[in-house]
Amino acid sequence: RRLGEDVSDDPWTDPRTIAAAIAKGFLDAPHFKGGKAGRGDVVTRSIDGACRAVDPSTGRPLTESERLARLGA
């Protein structure tokens, strides 16, 4: 929300805000790697039936706060 609050009345649905979130890695997926829009830096694993972001060196699941902190958010 904060990323687009100065851009749109509804940053959750604003295409510019969503594109910026993808470019910064806030919205990321492994299959973005090598693409023009996304970073593809996130490492994920299926854990108890859920797709979770994990620490690439340990495989430990990350909380969303931890994942975003690694991006400097």
Side-chain angles (χ1 to χ4, degrees), residues 35-52:
K36 294 180 182 177
R39 293 172 57 155
D41 293 336
V42 69
V43 175
T44 62
R45 296 255 173 4
S46 180
I47 300 172
D48 295 327
C51 184
R52 300 277 311 270

Side-chain angles (χ1 to χ4, degrees), residues 3-28:
L3 183 62
E5 64 189 6
D6 295 334
V7 176
S8 172
D9 291 334
D10 187 5
W12 294 109
T13 62
D14 178 66
R16 295 166 295 177
T17 303
I18 294 169
I22 291 169
K24 292 179 180 286
F26 299 155
L27 297 174
D28 201 8

Side-chain angles (χ1 to χ4, degrees), residues 5 10-11 13 16 20 23 34 36-37 54-55 58 62 64 70:
E5 64 189 6
D10 187 5
T13 62
R16 295 166 295 177
K36 294 180 182 177
V54 298
D55 181 299
T58 67
L62 299 173
E64 186 64 0
R70 291 171 181 229

